[in-house]
Amino acid sequence: MQEKNHKKILIAEDNSRTRLSLKNQLEILGFEVIGAVANGHDAVEKALELKPDLIIMDVKMPQMDGIEAAKIITAKSAVAIILLTGLSSDEMAAKALDAGVCAYLVKPVSKNQLEQAIKLAMVRYEEFRSLKTEVSSLKDAIETRKLVERAKGILMKRCNIPEDEAFKLLQTHSQKENKKMRDIAETIISASKLI
């Protein structure tokens, strides 16, 4: 057995033989299987409870299919998901992508295919997470810029000063109080509402 990859994996597959085969293949590859469930409902429950790094889930399962379960899981938790399917189609691939799935495999799955899909899924997931963080940072920067502009406008009007002086005043206040420009701008905006 290989050294552990330190990736915790949840399996969701209604066929007990396939579930056991996947578990064995993953353990041979050095992954830690932290749970194995037989339906979509349990997959959602266990994913939120166990917080795996990766979920390998069948598309067709009782109670809730894998695509629906993937949608619910990715809306509530950040995790890489690989879907397993008996038949591949463009429609299924589009639905899987829309559900936030990183990769999918057509059964039966060999150990080599599984290993490659996991590598691909983890790379795609990290890229997605990085982009999400970047978008969040950009949104924050835009919001900060709007608040600073609004605070500058208030200072320009109240103190009868030009824009560059209003900005310097904000900057000086930020440094003196050891606070972010955004915090100073929010304070000015809040105070202006009281006056």
Side-chain angles (χ1 to χ4, degrees):
M1 188 162 132
Q2 292 182 2
E3 187 180 314
K4 292 270 185 211
N5 282 311
H6 301 292
K7 295 280 185 229
K8 299 180 296 183
I9 300 179
L10 173 66
I11 299 169
E13 165 64 60
D14 62 323
N15 183 298
S16 59
R17 279 190 182 156
T18 305
R19 201 168 49 241
L20 183 60
S21 173
L22 283 170
K23 184 178 185 302
N24 291 338
Q25 287 176 340
L26 290 165
E27 287 174 347
I28 288 168
L29 290 169
F31 294 100
E32 179 186 357
V33 177
I34 59 170
V37 297
N39 64 64
H41 180 268
D42 289 349
V44 171
E45 205 172 88
K46 286 294 181 191
L48 300 177
E49 175 192 330
L50 300 174
K51 307 269 189 251
D53 300 306
L54 174 72
I55 300 170
I56 298 175
M57 186 162 30
D58 191 11
V59 172
K60 297 225 185 263
M61 289 187 293
Q63 295 184 20
M64 181 187 304
D65 72 26
I67 292 175
E68 185 61 30
K71 276 184 192 175
I72 294 168
I73 293 166
T74 57
K76 294 180 179 184
S77 178
V79 62
I81 298 176
I82 297 174
L83 280 184
L84 301 174
T85 181
L87 298 168
S88 178
S89 73
D90 290 343
E91 181 185 344
M92 200 279 303
K95 284 181 181 178
L97 187 61
D98 189 46
V101 171
C102 296
Y104 78 94
L105 290 168
V106 178
K107 295 186 222 176
V109 178
S110 72
K111 187 175 74 168
N112 187 45
Q113 289 171 318
L114 190 59
E115 185 175 30
Q116 295 309 312
I118 290 170
K119 286 178 184 175
L120 174 65
M122 296 312 292
V123 167
R124 282 187 176 164
Y125 173 72
E126 286 304 320
E127 287 172 351
F128 171 75
R129 216 171 68 158
S130 177
L131 283 173
K132 196 172 179 182
T133 301
E134 193 175 319
V135 167
S136 179
S137 294
L138 287 171
K139 283 181 179 177
D140 187 52
I142 289 168
E143 187 59 32
T144 297
R145 175 73 185 235
K146 286 179 185 177
L147 291 169
V148 168
E149 289 298 318
R150 195 163 159 207
K152 274 192 329 188
I154 291 167
L155 289 174
M156 288 166 60
K157 186 176 179 182
R158 301 255 185 211
C159 301
N160 198 23
I161 57 175
E163 183 179 358
D164 61 331
E165 281 185 42
F167 184 75
K168 283 180 189 170
L169 192 59
L170 278 168
Q171 208 171 31
T172 304
H173 226 45
S174 171
Q175 292 167 349
K176 194 188 307 181
E177 293 189 25
N178 197 24
K179 290 185 176 178
K180 294 179 181 178
M181 289 271 283
R182 179 185 183 128
D183 296 337
I184 300 298
E186 285 175 337
T187 301
I188 291 168
I189 292 166
S190 293
S192 76
K193 290 178 183 175
L194 297 174
I195 300 172

